[in-house]
Amino acid sequence: MTIALEQHIDPSLISILEKISDPEIPVLSIMDMGVVRFAQIVDDVAQIKITPTYSGCPAMDVIEEDIVHAFAEANIEVKVDLVLSPAWTTDWITPRGRKALEEYGIAAPLEEEADKEALLGNKKIVKCPQCSSTNTKMISQFGSTACKALFQCEDCLEPFDYFKCLK
């Protein structure tokens, strides 16, 4: 179930924001990740509000710097604010972002209940992004970043990250 959260994004700013990659998953833009919650021109200044994927996410400083740089290149003054409420959820990852995750080799987040079953080792439901098998097992609760778990496919034997469901 996807939670629809209203975003206030000025369409004229989308092309700039879509060029800014998530520093931990470079195939995703910050728009695909759903971290941009507000982007409007107010008194000739682009006001951008971003929400971290989890509290203390180290990528947020880099994202803010990348936003400032991208808007400077477009000759637009910008102010970036970090907003913590409402908390980010994996439901905010766009369908295009989910597809890009899979193509990059990271299994996209499952629904909340399925995620719990997978992370507790109760069911083999995380699909391998290499061969599409669900005959997978969790190797570690933590993968390359805290928001991912490390899995291995028992059919093709490839290891892969699974982006944990965050609600």
Side-chain angles (χ1 to χ4, degrees), residues 47-59:
Q47 304 283 328
I48 312 295
K49 294 182 181 180
I50 55 176
T51 299
T53 54
Y54 67 94
S55 183
C57 176

Side-chain angles (χ1 to χ4, degrees), residues 47 53 60 80 83 121 140 147:
Q47 304 283 328
T53 54
M60 296 315 291
V80 182
V83 292
S140 173
C147 57

Side-chain angles (χ1 to χ4, degrees), residues 110 117-118 121-127 133-138 151-152 154:
L110 299 169
E117 294 293 323
N122 296 335
K123 291 186 180 175
K124 294 185 175 196
I125 50 179
V126 176
K127 183 176 78 170
S133 171
T134 56
N135 185 21
T136 61
K137 67 179 178 183
M138 185 176 60
F151 273 70
Q152 182 175 20
E154 295 189 305

Side-chain angles (χ1 to χ4, degrees), residues 2-148:
T2 300
I3 297 171
L5 182 68
E6 187 175 348
Q7 289 177 295
H8 300 282
I9 310 292
D10 181 328
S12 69
L13 303 178
I14 291 174
S15 63
I16 298 170
L17 294 166
E18 285 182 336
K19 292 177 185 170
I20 302 167
S21 296
D22 180 295
E24 294 177 345
I25 310 170
V27 296
L28 297 181
S29 74
I30 59 174
M31 294 295 289
D32 289 330
M33 283 297 291
V35 300
V36 178
R37 303 315 307 155
F38 180 91
Q40 296 287 323
I41 300 289
V42 179
D43 297 327
D44 296 325
V45 176
Q47 304 283 328
I48 312 295
K49 294 182 181 180
I50 55 176
T51 299
T53 54
Y54 67 94
S55 183
C57 176
M60 296 315 291
D61 289 338
V62 174
I63 290 172
E64 181 177 350
E65 291 170 9
D66 290 348
I67 290 170
V68 169
H69 179 74
F71 278 84
E73 283 187 346
N75 294 315
I76 299 172
E77 187 178 344
V78 66
K79 180 177 185 291
V80 182
D81 290 312
L82 189 68
V83 292
L84 302 177
S85 180
W88 183 86
T89 167
T90 48
D91 287 342
W92 296 0
I93 300 173
T94 66
R96 182 175 71 188
R98 289 174 179 274
K99 184 175 186 236
L101 277 172
E102 297 278 337
E103 290 172 353
Y104 190 62
I106 299 172
L110 299 169
E111 294 299 321
E112 188 173 9
E113 287 304 313
D115 180 81
K116 287 179 186 175
E117 294 293 323
L119 292 175
L120 293 174
N122 296 335
K123 291 186 180 175
K124 294 185 175 196
I125 50 179
V126 176
K127 183 176 78 170
C128 173
Q130 315 304 327
C131 72
S132 298
S133 171
T134 56
N135 185 21
T136 61
K137 67 179 178 183
M138 185 176 60
I139 303 298
S140 173
Q141 284 280 353
F142 298 98
S144 59
T145 62
C147 57
K148 297 181 212 121

